[in-house]
Amino acid sequence: MNRTDEGKRGVASKRHSRRLVGGLRVRLVVTFVVVALISAVTATALAYRDARTAVLQRAQNAAVNDFRERVSTVAADFDVPPDQQSLSRFAAKVSEGIGGKIVVARYQDLTAVSDSFAETEGRITVELRSAVMTGDDAKFQRVQWRGDPYLVVGTPVRFADGDHRTSGLEVFAISDLRAERDDTAALLDSVRKGIVPVVLLAAVLALLAAGTVLRPVRKLGRATRELAAGDLGSRVAVTGHDELADLATTFNETADALQASDAELREQEAKARRFVADVSHELRTPLAAMTMVATVLEEDADQLPPDAARAARTVGAETARLSRLVEDLMEISRFDAKAVRLNAAETDLADTVRASLALRGWTDRVQTHLHEDVRAVVDRRRIDVIVANLVGNALRHGAPPVTVTLGTARAMDGEWVTLEVADHGPGLPPGAREWVFDRFYKADVARTRGEADDSGQGSGLGTAIALENARLHGGTIDVADVADVTDVADGPRRGAVFTLRLPLRRTGEGTE
């Protein structure tokens, strides 16, 4: 697996993790559940409040009405002023008529309780006593006593003489509200237990709704990825008339326009490639004749007048350069047409580099540091082209010494062959590094030619062809500026370093 595949898998893994953590499906489900939970809690709170109010109101109304009627009935036969015994009988009779509730009767300094063992001091508050004493009707108050709820009802007793004068007798009844509290608590527990099924149902509905909403989104995402991967025929089926349908329609229209533009560009590119190939092919025949004539003129240049001799040599050099330009154009057109194939075999790379330098007469001009016995499955002719172009550039545009270093390097993605070509010249101009492998790019605006080939006169295509040959082997070429700090006599000097990296494959491993 190469680094590109690992990178794609890493990006896909991160994308999948983000989708699991913060995906639209998760957000929809969480939103549904939160809304359902808030609704259920709100409904539970409102239901509890209303139920508690209704239960207490019913108990309160019943207690007040029953107490008022019972006091009126018993007070009709009651003589004022009473003694302690008659007041106790009065309290007992009132209590019997209202279901045995604790009744407290007060007349001036006398107090009688229907249940002599009941503690009433903490349940009948000062506020209620004051309200009954100054009022003319029944008053009530809910109190908490020792953690339990109680309803205390009090009423003054008036004479039945038509003037409704106050008799001075005050009666209080204490009702236990624990049963009502337990009823409302049981209702709250029931509603609270119903929250879990409601939340689960909301989650299920959210999943169904998310599936309905996200299904066209997933289809659109899949079609987008296919379109980004180069499948320009990818389309999305349009269903419905909602916003997603509008989005799918827009996507299809965009894909149609992109496919039409791509087809037009491909056609123009194919025409351009055919034009370059045809022109290059048509130029080969006249160039062959011109080369023959130029060769004859150069051979006889010494016998010609000085001006004619100089013109003959110039014609010969320019004809040779034009021939190499035509060959480079034809090579580039073969790369563009994907018609290039490797003729790979296991090769001794050190011998290949030495042979390339010797063929061009560069052995004395280049320092070599070649690791012996570096063998790899490569196309020897294409390695020769790479070496010729990189070393030719260094000789023409750099400064001596030019060094060629061959070695191997081990990385996480395998073992690699490295070939460094370094010079001690001015280095690359600022901003030139990203363009140095472009076709016909001129790194130095003062030069009239592009990068150099083996003759020192370049076609402007050498580094581009070198990079294409490296990629054909599954490798690449990097360029950098470095400072040579070992030259203490002249001080630090900069230079350009081109590094060819090829995967170290041996016989039986195959090529990409």
Side-chain angles (χ1 to χ4, degrees):
M1 179 186 303
N2 56 34
R3 288 179 293 178
T4 302
D5 293 336
E6 290 180 354
K8 290 181 179 178
R9 291 185 62 179
V11 172
S13 177
K14 292 180 182 178
R15 186 182 301 162
H16 182 66
S17 299
R18 289 196 300 267
R19 189 161 55 243
L20 290 179
V21 174
L24 186 57
R25 177 189 294 273
V26 175
R27 294 200 294 270
L28 282 175
V29 172
V30 170
T31 302
F32 265 80
V33 170
V34 169
V35 170
L37 185 60
I38 293 175
S39 301
V41 170
T42 303
T44 300
L46 293 175
Y48 174 73
R49 186 195 65 181
D50 293 344
R52 181 175 179 272
T53 302
V55 170
L56 292 177
Q57 189 70 35
R58 184 174 64 250
Q60 170 185 298
N61 293 340
V64 171
N65 293 333
D66 292 346
F67 176 68
R68 183 188 292 115
E69 292 176 1
R70 183 60 182 172
V71 168
S72 298
T73 301
V74 176
D77 299 328
F78 185 70
D79 294 330
V80 178
D83 55 17
Q84 183 67 45
Q85 185 176 6
S86 63
L87 190 61
S88 298
R89 286 198 300 270
F90 176 82
K93 288 182 179 180
V94 173
S95 176
E96 291 173 358
I98 56 176
K101 294 180 176 63
I102 299 174
V103 175
V104 179
R106 296 172 59 89
Y107 185 81
Q108 297 180 358
D109 296 334
L110 296 178
T111 302
V113 182
S114 61
D115 185 353
S116 59
F117 298 101
E119 184 178 350
T120 62
E121 191 65 29
R123 290 185 260 190
I124 302 176
T125 64
V126 176
E127 293 83 358
L128 182 60
R129 288 175 181 174
S130 176
V132 171
M133 187 181 300
T134 57
D136 57 0
D137 198 3
K139 307 294 182 180
F140 64 88
Q141 185 181 32
R142 289 194 293 268
V143 298
Q144 291 283 335
W145 185 69
R146 294 180 180 178
D148 294 323
Y150 292 90
L151 176 67
V152 182
V153 183
T155 183
V157 177
R158 297 184 179 276
F159 292 110
D161 55 2
D163 293 336
H164 297 288
R165 291 178 296 109
T166 302
S167 66
L169 178 62
E170 300 167 0
V171 187
F172 299 89
I174 301 174
S175 303
D176 190 351
L177 295 179
R178 285 178 291 183
E180 287 76 8
R181 180 194 62 185
D182 294 341
D183 290 341
T184 55
L187 175 63
L188 180 62
D189 290 339
S190 299
V191 176
R192 187 180 299 159
K193 291 177 182 178
I195 292 179
V196 175
V198 168
V199 171
L200 293 177
L201 180 61
V204 173
L205 293 176
L207 288 173
L208 295 176
T212 303
V213 173
L214 295 180
R215 191 175 297 112
V217 175
R218 285 196 300 270
K219 291 180 179 178
L220 184 60
R222 184 167 53 250
T224 303
R225 289 190 295 272
E226 292 173 353
L227 190 66
D231 183 9
L232 300 183
S234 179
R235 297 294 185 272
V236 180
V238 179
T239 56
H241 302 282
D242 54 7
E243 290 80 0
L244 289 175
D246 294 339
L247 181 60
T249 302
T250 303
F251 172 82
N252 290 339
E253 293 174 352
T254 304
D256 290 338
L258 182 61
Q259 188 174 28
S261 299
D262 179 75
E264 183 178 356
L265 290 174
R266 287 178 183 275
E267 183 180 359
Q268 293 177 356
E269 184 181 4
K271 289 180 179 179
R273 286 199 302 266
R274 283 196 301 270
F275 175 77
V276 171
D278 292 343
V279 169
S280 301
H281 181 75
E282 292 298 326
L283 286 175
R284 295 184 72 179
T285 301
L287 275 175
M290 291 172 63
T291 302
M292 292 174 59
V293 174
T295 302
V296 172
L297 289 176
E298 284 186 297
E299 291 176 352
D300 296 337
D302 294 337
Q303 302 175 9
L304 298 175
D307 292 341
R310 186 166 51 253
R313 293 189 180 95
T314 302
V315 169
E318 291 298 320
T319 302
R321 194 186 70 83
L322 185 58
S323 297
R324 284 188 294 273
L325 174 60
V326 170
E327 293 297 330
D328 287 346
L329 286 173
M330 294 189 67
E331 184 73 0
I332 284 291
S333 65
R334 283 192 288 268
F335 278 112
D336 290 341
K338 310 297 182 184
V340 179
R341 296 293 180 268
L342 283 178
N343 184 18
E346 190 168 31
T347 304
D348 188 320
L349 295 179
D351 287 344
T352 301
V353 173
R354 279 191 290 264
S356 180
L357 298 178
L359 179 63
R360 293 161 180 83
W362 292 341
T363 303
D364 297 335
R365 302 173 59 188
V366 177
Q367 297 179 2
T368 59
H369 305 283
L370 307 179
H371 192 283
E372 301 296 335
D373 298 327
V374 179
R375 303 183 64 85
V377 176
V378 295
D379 188 327
R380 185 184 181 106
R381 184 184 70 83
R382 297 190 180 279
I383 298 299
D384 174 76
V385 172
I386 296 174
V387 173
N389 281 290
L390 296 184
V391 175
N393 275 345
L395 290 174
R396 174 166 176 77
H397 302 301
V402 173
T403 60
V404 177
T405 305
L406 174 67
T408 59
R410 185 176 295 275
M412 295 184 63
D413 53 354
E415 194 170 1
W416 294 78
V417 175
T418 61
L419 179 69
E420 291 185 357
V421 179
D423 63 71
H424 290 65
L428 294 172
R433 189 177 305 174
E434 59 180 314
W435 307 104
V436 71
F437 293 104
D438 285 4
R439 300 171 186 182
F440 299 107
Y441 175 71
K442 297 178 181 180
D444 186 353
V445 295
R447 294 198 300 267
T448 58
R449 304 298 184 195
E451 70 279 1
D453 60 7
D454 57 309
S455 70
Q457 294 293 339
S459 65
L461 297 170
T463 53
I465 292 175
L467 181 60
E468 292 291 349
N469 280 296
R471 289 174 175 171
L472 198 61
H473 286 83
T476 186
I477 300 178
D478 300 322
V479 61
D481 283 336
V482 295
D484 184 358
V485 297
T486 61
D487 191 350
V488 295
D490 298 333
R493 299 169 65 186
R494 300 190 61 84
V497 176
F498 287 78
T499 303
L500 168 68
R501 297 179 75 251
L502 299 177
L504 182 58
R505 301 190 183 90
R506 296 180 174 87
T507 302
E509 297 182 11
T511 58
E512 291 183 355

